[in-house]
Amino acid sequence: MSLTQHLSTSISFSSSSFLSSSGFTFRNRDVSLPSENFGICRCVATPQEEKTTYKTKVSRNANMAKLQAGYLFPEIARKRNAHLQKYPDSKVISLGIGDTTEPIPEVITSAMAKRSQALSTLEGYSGYGAEQGEKPLRAAIASTFYGDLGIEEDDIFVSDGAKCDISRLQVLFGSEVTIAVQDPSYPAYVDSSVIIGQTGFYEKDAEKYGKIEYMRCNPENGFFPDLPKVSRADIILFCSPNNPTGSAATREQLTRLVQFAKEKGSIIVYDSAYAMYITDDKPRSIFEIPGAKEVALETASFSKYAGFTGVRLGWTVIPKELLFSDGFPVAKDFNRIVCTCFNGASNVVQAGGLACLSPEGRSAMQKVVGFYKENADIIMDTFNSLGFNVYGGRNAPYVWVHFPGLSSWDVFSEILEKTHVVTTPGSGFGPGGEGFIRVSAFGHRDNVLEACRRFKQLYK
Amino acid sequence: MIPQARLEIQKERVVCHTRVQRNVNLEKLQNGYLFPEISMHELQHIRKYPDAKLINLGIGDTTEPIPDIVAVSMAEYAHALSTVEGYRGYGAEQGNKALRKAIAETLYKDVQVKDSEVFVSDGSQCDITRLQLLLGSNVTMAVQDPSFPAYIDTSVIIGQAGDFEEKSGKFGNIEYMNCGPQNNFFPDLAKTRRTDIIFFCSPNNPTGQAATRQQLEELVKFAKENGSIIIFDSAYAVYVTDDSPRSIFEIPGAKEVAIEVSSFSKFAGFTGVRLGWTVVPEELCFSNGFPVINDFNRIVCTCFNGASNISQAGGLACLSSEGFMAVCSVVNYYKENAKILLETLASLGLKVYGGENAPYVWVHFPGSKSWDVFDYILEKTHIITVPGSGFGPGGEEFLRMSTFGHRETILEASKRLKNLFS
């Protein structure tokens, strides 16, 4: 195509049209999919108009076929959109997917704007960055979050977010390892495990995949696994503060977890994405536990601290002491993955990350986190006042509400139908989530208050 | 038996090993990834000659500033994130609707790619890995030889490649399609074994060769006959000067056999900003009829969370009429660099290829080992290049020079090469 052809067909986009609602997705997740059949596994394409549909001879990846449905949050978005179509005038409030809603503090966005502008200058232009991340940012992450824990700048790998890091870690570990997850847990752990080929088939009755060790976390065990009953797995995925239960593990519990991993020779993949939400003195990093460096790596994110859910920035820490059974350092293999399967987080975004970790940036992040925590308080109070057993909320932006004996999808549907509030059904996080609803605490204050008003109406 | 983590006494220090086996696929990789290896040579050279004015024609890294209109759009978008009206959280994992539409309508106008078939990403290297995740370890693949190292390396990592054979310098399960001057840098398909997946890059990195329409028709026919899927890397499409196809979808029937991966990196100087896309046609099906796009969408929703919204704002500005003109003029700058290097090397009597449809020149040093030539040139002229063998055994005897760089740098490089080889 010649340049003139391009010019005659190109569309004029001013920045205002880019920002307008029609051009961009809202807080609401606009999942544009080719057809309505998405997420439902249809194995055979239907022939149309006597035309034979050509098929390649490439076998579909059997691991993909094991997945039961679409990823959880696009499914929630689908239900939300269907509801909006049914009730176009309803004011739907989203307390479903944990999507941040408050503007990013200016100190952070101006750093990103500045870096963007600099890219159009000779002195300021930069091309490929180090795949592990820009040095100043790595250093700032190490000193801010791991200052006195003996974690160094080169133990930090900057990424475009925890979800991507989880998959890169799965690529690193390969299909021959076994995993243990909390039950319930963030769906990306199990789903990425299925995709890479670590699991067996889905067992409908148990609602579990074969070969995964599910560590039940419920009110009875204080949302901490009963470790003596847990079978050994190579990799233990542990999230604290927890998504979805909102529970934060105590120092004592994490000490036992590290001990358990040491005894079994396992590796803990510790997800600390919500560490800044901790109110009390629970550990914010697994590396606060002595001995953790030999058994754990940690993944974290700017998403819920700085509202970077769309901006995309996170990191993974792999201590030098963490070794495979043959003595090979895990960090070395992860570095190879990062150099081959990734090309670094966006430089503009990393500039934002650095600003986040300046004194002004940190204080600004604390304020936003504090705002969401107030939301969580309001939601917790509401459900408590209605007589529900409520968990989480204190150390995390999620409130975990118990509806004993009920199907969580039914409760989800009823809440959506009757109050136009989107939540997340607990069973989406695993069989251990059945009977629970996750209410996320992100949202404008008035929306959260309005949602709570509606909950009170429904459940009074 | 009580399971215990293995303890080993090393240098009077007790070192604890976990009992997690290292992924055997990673063990199969022969060295570090090619470009960090080149960087290491660079560092060593700088230490040896701290005053040398090093010229980097190695890794294909863009050097010229991003056009104002694009940078401003990203800056404005970033500022808007501080406002209530302008704040955005999670975007669709497949990418911003307007950007997907702009890619489809601006870059695939005549070949009817739908916006729903476009998946925006943070770049080709990441997309290639996600495609490997999608396809899994049980498929076989073919690559051009030489080729961009990520194809083979990701294939090894995911478990498709078999073992490395020292003698041939090849992985046992991969089909290497030799591309050299003797076959006009297009594989002899009659001699190519069937594989499930065929990686094909045009314009080519590292050879700089763009396949003709006829060659691509042959390739699509080959894929159709074999029931294979072509993964077509069109990252350098905008560098095409002649009428070579810029997209595999210009070839009739390609939508049933091909996926296309592309990038804003070399197009808009976004090597650090991170933005690219993959096109998966709705017509493309696995052997059981299941649409590939459904599975790719699942991968994108599960293993990824979308490209940065700021980068996407920049991408959209690149595709506006003004933005497109501006980024194309930067591309033309690099193409002029290529012309200068091509002319220099040709005038020295060296066998040079590429450079006309790509930002790479591919120089033949018959009888020489490419790392030796790399070292020789680095030592004598302080110019970093890339040894052809880094791209596969078919690259031996060749050297790749990238044509990114400030004009003065390119001119200086030409001067030094003239001094060395005349």
Side-chain angles (χ1 to χ4, degrees), chain A residues 419-438:
Chain A
T419 69
H420 310 297
V421 177
V422 186
T423 58
T424 313
S427 59
F429 300 96
E434 187 58 289
F436 289 87
I437 288 287
R438 188 193 79 172

Side-chain angles (χ1 to χ4, degrees), chain A residues 131-133 137-138 141 156-159 313-315 342 345 350:
Chain A
E131 296 92 338
Q132 306 82 357
L137 178 58
R138 295 170 82 188
I141 290 171
I156 311 284
F157 295 82
V158 179
S159 76
L313 192 69
W315 71 89
F342 186 51
Q350 292 192 62

Side-chain angles (χ1 to χ4, degrees), chain A residues 269-428:
Chain A
V269 171
Y270 191 83
D271 187 343
S272 66
Y274 302 97
M276 268 183 76
Y277 285 79
I278 293 175
T279 305
D280 49 31
D281 64 351
K282 307 244 173 37
R284 282 140 171 84
S285 164
I286 190 65
F287 302 118
E288 292 186 36
I289 311 300
K293 289 213 213 107
E294 293 168 327
V295 298
L297 60 92
E298 181 163 304
T299 184
S301 172
F302 281 90
S303 282
K304 310 300 163 69
Y305 299 165
F308 269 27
T309 40
V311 174
R312 310 306 316 147
L313 192 69
W315 71 89
T316 289
V317 185
I318 307 191
K320 300 175 178 69
E321 294 90 322
L322 188 66
L323 309 173
F324 288 113
S325 58
D326 65 353
F328 196 87
V330 176
K332 253 185 124 177
D333 270 348
F334 191 67
N335 188 63
R336 185 49 148 106
I337 296 281
V338 151
C339 289
T340 310
C341 306
F342 186 51
N343 230 327
S346 172
N347 48 13
V348 168
V349 169
Q350 292 192 62
L354 197 57
C356 286
L357 301 180
S358 68
E360 201 189 331
R362 280 154 68 176
S363 145
M365 285 198 299
Q366 304 272 23
K367 274 214 188 75
V368 179
V369 167
F371 175 85
Y372 294 131
K373 287 172 73 167
E374 278 163 28
N375 283 350
D377 284 338
I378 292 167
I379 295 167
M380 273 203 300
D381 287 344
T382 300
F383 280 100
N384 270 320
S385 73
L386 292 167
F388 286 96
N389 283 325
V390 189
Y391 306 96
R394 285 204 69 229
N395 288 314
Y398 299 118
V399 178
W400 191 236
V401 189
H402 201 187
F403 289 82
L406 297 180
S407 141
S408 56
W409 275 106
D410 287 348
V411 179
F412 164 87
S413 297
E414 186 184 19
I415 292 177
L416 181 57
E417 184 72 24
K418 302 219 172 114
T419 69
H420 310 297
V421 177
V422 186
T423 58
T424 313
S427 59

Side-chain angles (χ1 to χ4, degrees), chain A residues 42-58:
Chain A
R42 294 271 169 96
C43 281
V44 182
T46 338
Q48 287 169 348
E49 300 166 332
E50 291 170 28
K51 188 183 90 197
T52 341
T53 317
Y54 171 81
K55 297 177 238 184
T56 66
K57 289 198 191 119
V58 181

Side-chain angles (χ1 to χ4, degrees), chain B residues 128-148:
Chain B
I128 286 163
T129 299
R130 282 189 279 269
L131 285 168
Q132 296 287 32
L133 262 178
L134 161 76
L135 297 166
S137 58
N138 288 329
V139 296
T140 53
M141 67 162 241
V143 285
Q144 288 165 292
D145 181 23
S147 68
F148 179 51

